[in-house]
Amino acid sequence: MRLPIDPDSVKGFLAPQEGARLYELAKSAARLGPCLEVGSYCGKSTVYLGSACCEADQLLFAIDHHRGSEEHQLGEEYHDPDLFDADALKMDSFREFRRTLDRAGLADHVVPIVATSALAARHWNTPLSLVFIDGGHSEAAACADYRSWAPKIMIGGYLAIHDIFEKPEDGGQAPYNIYQLALASGLFEELTTTHTLGVLRRLG
Ligand code: MG
């Protein structure tokens, strides 16, 4: 794996082994069609996925409203004052995301979509070879991400979900719940999990 910049220089919450797995998945998927991520934040996962897409001359769609998830808001546990737009009085991770894309030279292979996941999905007709869900952790947000994008995954394509915790004492359950939903649908087979990154493959 050769990355254009050190992913540790990008703010975010993705472990290096999870990033490496995303890169490998995208490398194999990109031969079939474009990839898509939900919850780009400052672009850490984008560097891994986008680099693999770039090598295959493929595209990565990177969706984020860039107003932060629940836990990023002012006064919350993961609030980062550097990402607060004091004029709008809102979180804004887009400037930092764009800086990451420029630093990594990925602007020709990553298409940023600044919108909620459900809005972006409304007229979406392009089959996807990989969908990575790393958006909001409320039940409603995780469910909307799953229902919006899982049907767009092509046969043989991957669904990767971040922050999978089997036990409630280890972390929020919403990502794990959509992982279970995907399995229960009978449309996906379970592949090996990497740390908290759950990986499924769309069956034919
Ligand atoms: Mg995450």
Side-chain angles (χ1 to χ4, degrees):
M1 177 177 67
R2 287 177 53 197
L3 300 174
I5 58 170
D6 178 1
D8 284 345
S9 68
V10 183
K11 291 173 192 283
F13 309 94
L14 189 75
Q17 70 268 37
E18 296 172 333
R21 180 82 189 281
L22 284 178
Y23 174 89
E24 291 305 328
L25 289 171
K27 219 177 137 153
S28 130
R31 291 178 285 112
L32 306 172
C35 300
L36 181 142
E37 68 172 4
V38 177
S40 303
Y41 194 52
C42 297
K44 193 191 273 282
S45 56
T46 319
V47 169
Y48 289 102
L49 291 168
S51 299
C53 286
C54 183
E55 279 176 34
D57 197 18
Q58 189 50 272
L59 292 186
L60 169 68
F61 296 97
I63 298 179
D64 199 310
H65 46 65
H66 287 289
R67 291 307 192 189
S69 298
E70 304 83 351
E71 68 276 17
H72 299 135
Q73 303 308 317
L74 192 62
E76 298 298 325
E77 187 179 1
Y78 291 100
H79 179 70
D80 182 340
D82 294 347
L83 302 177
F84 193 69
D85 178 341
D87 293 325
L89 293 177
K90 285 177 180 168
M91 268 277 306
D92 183 1
S93 50
F94 185 56
R95 217 167 72 139
E96 190 63 22
F97 175 75
R98 181 179 253 176
R99 203 171 75 88
T100 301
L101 281 194
D102 286 344
R103 283 201 300 130
L106 289 172
D108 288 337
H109 291 91
V110 176
V111 183
I113 299 178
V114 183
T116 64
S117 165
L119 190 66
R122 265 176 62 177
H123 289 281
W124 193 276
N125 280 319
T126 304
L128 298 163
S129 66
L130 179 151
V131 167
F132 172 49
I133 296 181
D134 190 19
H137 284 179
S138 67
E139 286 295 338
C143 239
D145 290 340
Y146 172 72
R147 297 206 184 283
S148 297
W149 298 107
K152 322 282 195 213
I153 300 171
M154 61 179 62
I155 290 168
Y158 300 102
L159 172 61
I161 303 172
H162 196 227
D163 302 306
I164 300 288
F165 298 105
E166 280 189 39
K167 298 180 192 152
E169 56 267 35
D170 295 334
Q173 293 293 284
Y176 181 63
N177 290 343
I178 61 167
Y179 180 85
Q180 292 298 331
L181 267 183
L183 271 182
S185 75
L187 295 173
F188 293 91
E189 65 171 330
E190 192 171 30
L191 304 185
T192 316
T193 293
T194 300
H195 193 42
T196 72
L197 181 72
V199 184
L200 303 152
R201 184 163 47 204
R202 176 73 159 87
L203 295 165

